């Protein structure tokens, strides 16, 4: 769900390797045209929940693989149902493709991940029809252009190109494209459990719904990120009940005032700062660029992880919010039943993004301590378990860095903990590390339009991403 | 609108030593056959869910109209008046004229309302629209606000007609269908339908009443002769919103919570008027040397003694009587669980001291919350301050006689200012003085559940209220 494009200042964390200025591989005109046609077709298929179009898109992508010579028995459309009280339901589908190693596999499979569904986009909220791909001013416009049908096309066209070029993987490459990442994540949950045999119990996953990079508006590189961790999404409800009464006779006990008081406490509260391998590497890179007070705070915190004041000033920066700890924020309010009656019920929805590895049940207990009012009852809205960080793997880090820098010489690369959530969570929880390693890029911040109005992708990014995935797969499955 | 069940006066200190009887255990004087009829009508009335927008008020109007018709009122004197209240809410008023064969005085108007406040099944122990009787109480939405008054006034008239009583003035019954929401019925009743309702004065069954404390000592019978002005305001905050994974210090919900915290502690300027001064003079005598009594005397001696007024206001029995009060009653905000809110809104209900203009209260609230919160009056209901009704000895004497019969001499009868607002305000505004004189009663504060959960009324209070209204009709129209 909820992919956020990186908005990073530049500094190279990983080997700023003496840039390889060898020309990257280029697409043939036929490959370029095929990628364009595939992208246009999938953007024009409105795979929003409730519109029943994901199975059609899954079949279309499956047909591309089969036409390129992938055996039909290794290309499977998996229909499934997704539903929840807040999203409604849909009959959706996942696509699983297995490209088997030639001969005895050298290692367990690599999983390539993406999702085919998109967030709703309304015609009246968009400049042009969001489900008719439009090219103008050097951009492809349409819902899903960056979240994340560019990644679906990038992986698919890269595998087709590699097969045509005679590439023989030394380990299985397995594709899982899900159909409900933006809503309920049932596809990823199935993938990390009942479909694991089909997927060949992969050693690790590469998720096209994460990573990627950007350029600043002046053309300078803003950096690429590799997503190694994501915060756990968890919803909580604060509920206050009261006997109510007549509003002409106000009392001190009042459900709305108790709730407002609890919200005041949550507003003032800061969870304990936490640092992980990923965020330490991230801040170690960031501080080199930051000469001012923000950089000083990063340096102090890196030197002393118990320096809460330093962590607080980092967290207060709009560019770093959410990266130093668990954050919770109220997003919805409900209360009362008549304008002339004291409220009998008042509730607030609290949306938390929990630091990787922390149990949402512990956050519930912490919220209860913060609120410190027995009248305010804290309950969970979901049963998500703690998301885990994936340990940095030198092979993946190196392959990603090489691919990025082959296309964008000198481009800095950072590890990243995303504050949003994605399909990676159930795999990480199941012990399969996942890395967000897409190669798409945008101009930041003006192109950060995932979930928003007039979503768009620079035209060149689509084709760069195909090359990016070819480089990644040659590197990680060709040796 | 929005009646408070009982207006309360504290125990007469002199009676504290007496062993008091639980008034709920005293048998009603209403004959058994009339108890049965009353109970049946009350059950039917409670089980019609006359909440706004449910379209059920016309059925209730027909139920009451049928009682009058069966008792002998001709169809030409029974008017069911359909009208729209809140936008789309199709409701009705009932106007019945019980004619005097030899009228010697101008007509008398009896007021009530048939609608009730929303009650949700999941909030209540039992279905609020299934009539129940248990442990000496009738339970259900409307048992105290105010289908009890509808039933008592109707049954009293039906009973008197069956006994051959002929009033010496016309008695006009006016039951509205949107007192709890907009008061359109009372507005029409006091203006456009005035040819059907014009009267020398009105008696409102949506107010008045006696109460006892938990030790069953009589607290008094208040006749409301003035009421605070009802006005709802909306506190609204706006924000550009964003993704909830990246919270910012600026947040529409936090801004609203801050405003609510200010509202919680804000106190308006204490005020007095003729009726409340009379009330507190009587109360201070009752209270004697208690801290509350001393505060009342101090405030009466010096109306600028804000500390004394605050001490009075803080007493649960006196809430709302010393000043304008506002309280948050509803909340809404946000549009998705995973998005920062773009809007948050609280409904703030105010009861404004008579004579104070709602726009001045709005200005004070706006100053209190500051520029980040928008304060706006509910455009569907703009309150109009109304004058107090002048004291009427005939009404006072009729109520005193009834109170003495059902509660004994210890139950003092006083004029009071009501903190709620009712249909009476519309008639007062149009020159018909109104007095709230219903005879229901309860144990304070346990039975004060109007608009709240598990609303209830002592069984005996329902039955005796029929006799109470019979006495009132005889005294003022006989």
């Amino acid at each position: 769900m909820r992919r956020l494009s990186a908005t990073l200042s530049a500094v190279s964390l990983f080997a700023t390797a003496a840039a390889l200025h060898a020309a990257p591989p280029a697409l043939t005109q036929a490959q370029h045209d095929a990628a364009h046609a595939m992208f246009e077709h999938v953007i024009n298929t409105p795979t929003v929940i409730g519109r029943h179009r994901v199975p059609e898109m899954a079949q279309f992508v499956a047909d591309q693989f089969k036409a390129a010579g992938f055996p039909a028995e290794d290309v499977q459309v998996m229909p499934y149902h997704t539903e929840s009280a807040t999203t409604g339901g849909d009959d959706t589908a996942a696509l699983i493709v297995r490209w088997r190693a030639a001969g005895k596999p050298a290692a367990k499979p690599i999983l390539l991940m993406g999702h085919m569904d998109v967030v709703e986009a309304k015609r009246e909220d968009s400049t042009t029809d969001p489900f008719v791909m439009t090219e103008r001013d050097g951009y492809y416009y349409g819902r899903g252009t960056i979240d994340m049908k560019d990644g679906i096309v990038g992986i698919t066209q890269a595998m087709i190109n590699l097969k045509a070029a005679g590439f023989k993987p030394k380990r299985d490459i397995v594709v899982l494209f899900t159909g409900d990442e933006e809503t309920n994540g049932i596809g990823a949950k199935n993938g990390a459990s009942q479909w694991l045999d089909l997927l060949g119990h992969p050693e690790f996953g590469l998720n096209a719904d994460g990573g990627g990079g950007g350029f600043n508006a002046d053309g300078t590189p803003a950096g690429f990120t590799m997503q190694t961790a994501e915060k756990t999404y968890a919803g909580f409800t604060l509920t206050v009940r009261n006997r109510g009464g007549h509003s002409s006779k106000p009392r001190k006990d009042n459900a709305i005032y108790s709730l407002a008081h609890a919200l005041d406490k949550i507003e003032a509260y800061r969870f304990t700062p936490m640092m992980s391998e990923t965020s330490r590497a991230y801040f170690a890179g960031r501080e080199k660029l930051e000469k001012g007070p923000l950089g000083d705070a990063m340096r102090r915190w890196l030197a002393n992880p118990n320096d809460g004041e330093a962590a607080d000033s980092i967290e207060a920066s709009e560019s770093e919010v959410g990266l130093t700890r668990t954050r919770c924020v109220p997003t919805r309010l409900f209360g009362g039943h008549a304008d002339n009656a004291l409220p009998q019920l008042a509730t607030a929805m609290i949306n938390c993004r929990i630091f990787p590895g922390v149990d949402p049940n512990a956050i519930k207990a912490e919220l209860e301590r913060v609120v410190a009012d027995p009248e305010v009852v804290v309950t969970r809205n979901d049963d998500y378990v703690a998301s885990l960080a994936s340990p940095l793997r030198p092979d993946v880090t190196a392959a990603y860095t090489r691919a990025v820098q082959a296309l964008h010489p000198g481009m800095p690369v950072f590890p990243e903990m995303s504050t949003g959530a994605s399909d990676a969570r159930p795999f990480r929880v199941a012990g399969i590390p996942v890395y967000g390693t897409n190669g798409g890029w945008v101009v930041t911040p003006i192109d950060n339009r995932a979930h928003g109005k007039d979503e768009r992708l620079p035209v060149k990014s689509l084709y760069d991403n195909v090359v990016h995935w070819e480089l990644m797969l040659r590197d990680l499955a060709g040796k | 609108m929005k009646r408070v069940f009982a207006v309360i006066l504290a125990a007469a200190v002199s009676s504290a030593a007496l062993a008091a009887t639980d008034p709920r255990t005293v048998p009603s004087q209403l004959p058994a056959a009339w108890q049965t009829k009353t109970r049946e009508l009350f059950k039917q009335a409670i089980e019609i869910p006359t909440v706004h927008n449910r379209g059920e008020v016309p059925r209730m109007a027909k139920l009451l109209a049928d009682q009058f018709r069966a008792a002998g009122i001709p169809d030409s004197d029974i008017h069911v008046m359909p009208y729209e209240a809140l936008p789309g809410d199709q409701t009705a008023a009932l106007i019945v004229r019980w004619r005097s064969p030899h009228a010697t005085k101008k007509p008398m108007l009896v007021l009530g309302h048939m609608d009730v406040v929303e009650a949700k099944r999941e909030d209540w122990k039992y279905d609020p629209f299934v009539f129940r009787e248990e442990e000496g109480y009738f339970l259900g939405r409307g048992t105290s606000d105010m289908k009890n008054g509808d039933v008592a006034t109707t049954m009293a008239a039906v009973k008197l007609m069956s006994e051959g009583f002929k009033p010496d003035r016309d008695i006009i019954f006016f039951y509205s269908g949107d007192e709890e929401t907009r008061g359109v019925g009372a507005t029409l009743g006091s203006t456009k339908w005035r040819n059907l309702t014009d009267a020398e004065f009105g008696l409102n069954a949506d107010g008045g009443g006696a109460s006892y404390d938990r030790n069953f000592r009589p607290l008094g019978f208040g006749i409301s002769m003035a009421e605070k002005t009802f006005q709802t305001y909306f506190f609204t905050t706006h924000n550009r919103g964003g993704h909830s994974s990246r919270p910012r210090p600026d947040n529409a919900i936090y801004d609203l919570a801050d405003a609510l915290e200010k509202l919680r502690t804000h106190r308006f300027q204490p005020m007095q008027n003729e009726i409340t001064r009379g009330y507190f003079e009587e109360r201070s005598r009752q209270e004697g040397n208690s801290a509350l009594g001393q505060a009342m005397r101090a405030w009466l001696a010096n109306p600028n003694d804000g500390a004394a007024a605050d001490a009075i206001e803080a007493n649960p029995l006196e809430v709302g009587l010393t000043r304008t009060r506002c309280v948050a009653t509803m909340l809404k905000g946000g549009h998705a669980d995973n998005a920062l809110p773009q809007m948050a809104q609280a409904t703030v209900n105010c009861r404004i001291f008579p004579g104070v203009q709602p726009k001045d209260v709005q200005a004070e609230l706006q100053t209190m919350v500051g520029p980040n919160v928008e304060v706006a009056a509910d455009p569907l209901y703009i309150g109009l301050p109304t004058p107090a009704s002048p004291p009427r000895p005939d009404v006072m004497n009729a109520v005193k006689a009834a109170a003495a019969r059902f509660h004994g001499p210890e139950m003092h009868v006083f004029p009071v200012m009501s903190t709620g607002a009712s249909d009476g305000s519309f008639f007062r505004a149009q020159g018909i003085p109104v007095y709230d004189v219903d005879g229901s009663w309860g144990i304070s504060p346990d039975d004060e559940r109007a608009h709240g959960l598990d609303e209830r009324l002592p069984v005996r209070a329902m039955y005796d209220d029929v006799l109470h209204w019979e006495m009132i009709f005889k005294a003022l129209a006989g």
Side-chain angles (χ1 to χ4, degrees), chain A residues 401-412:
Chain A
T401 305
R402 277 195 291 267
V404 167
Q405 294 181 343
L407 286 155
H408 310 287
M411 177 66 77

Side-chain angles (χ1 to χ4, degrees), chain B residues 207-458:
Chain B
S211 60
Y212 292 85
D213 72 8
R214 285 171 174 159
N215 297 317
F216 313 129
R217 293 178 303 193
L219 293 172
F221 188 120
I223 300 178
S224 174
M225 302 173 57
E227 44 190 45
K228 292 172 96 175
T229 307
F230 179 98
Q231 183 65 58
T232 292
Y233 301 93
F234 299 116
F235 284 15
T236 309
T237 56
H238 297 281
N239 189 276
R240 66 188 159 103
H243 201 291
S244 65
S245 68
R246 301 175 74 84
R248 292 190 309 273
D250 59 294
N251 180 302
I253 288 177
Y254 290 147
D255 288 345
L256 185 66
D258 291 346
L260 291 170
E261 182 70 12
K262 288 174 184 160
L263 177 66
R264 183 177 72 80
T265 55
H266 185 77
R267 291 294 175 270
F268 287 86
Q269 178 69 33
M271 301 181 86
Q272 299 176 354
N273 63 22
E274 189 189 356
I275 289 171
T276 61
R277 282 189 69 85
Y279 167 83
F280 284 119
E281 279 162 7
E282 179 60 36
R283 285 284 290 115
S284 65
R285 280 194 288 275
Q286 290 183 349
E287 282 292 325
N289 264 333
S290 74
L292 182 58
Q294 290 174 27
M296 287 172 174
R297 274 189 293 280
W299 193 40
L300 287 165
N302 176 11
N304 294 322
D305 186 345
D310 290 354
I312 298 166
E313 184 70 25
N315 187 296
L317 297 179
E318 313 298 335
V319 176
L321 296 178
T322 73
R323 69 196 75 192
T324 295
R325 289 297 299 264
C326 297
V327 65
T329 56
M330 297 180 80
L331 271 186
K332 66 178 178 181
H335 57 289
D337 288 353
N338 58 0
L340 299 175
Q342 291 169 359
M343 188 277 284
Q345 187 177 76
T347 303
V348 176
N349 186 244
C350 296
R351 309 302 177 123
I352 300 173
F353 204 83
V356 175
Q357 292 297 326
K359 67 176 168 43
D360 293 333
V361 173
Q362 179 174 346
E364 183 166 346
L365 292 171
Q366 184 69 68
T367 304
M368 172 193 84
V369 297
N372 290 336
V373 181
E374 172 192 308
V375 177
D378 178 1
L380 290 179
Y381 184 94
I382 300 298
L384 279 179
T386 58
S389 300
R392 275 187 77 106
D394 55 348
V395 172
M396 286 295 290
N397 289 336
V399 173
K400 281 180 178 170
R405 173 176 168 193
F406 300 113
H407 306 290
E410 302 269 321
M411 188 65 83
H412 295 249
V413 178
F414 307 101
V416 296
M417 174 184 78
S418 166
T419 57
S422 77
D423 279 348
S425 64
F426 298 91
F427 289 88
R428 281 193 190 106
Q430 296 300 327
I432 300 180
V434 175
Y435 307 86
D436 293 3
V437 297
D438 189 51
S440 296
W441 52 268
I443 307 297
S444 179
D446 302 335
D447 295 347
E448 289 173 7
R449 301 180 180 190
H451 297 201
L453 289 177
D454 304 325
E455 185 179 342
R456 67 184 188 179
L457 182 77

Side-chain angles (χ1 to χ4, degrees), chain A residues 239-258:
Chain A
T239 303
V240 187
R241 291 185 187 277
N242 186 279
R243 65 190 162 99
H246 202 288
S247 65
S248 69
K249 294 272 189 193
R251 291 192 310 272
K252 281 184 178 161
D253 59 297
N254 177 304
I256 288 177
Y257 294 148
S258 296

Side-chain angles (χ1 to χ4, degrees), chain A residues 349-368:
Chain A
M349 298 292 155
I350 307 293
N351 188 248
C352 292
R353 309 300 177 125
I354 300 173
F355 206 82
V358 176
D359 183 349
N361 289 319
I363 298 301
K364 173 177 178 284
E366 194 159 350
L367 287 173
E368 285 165 345

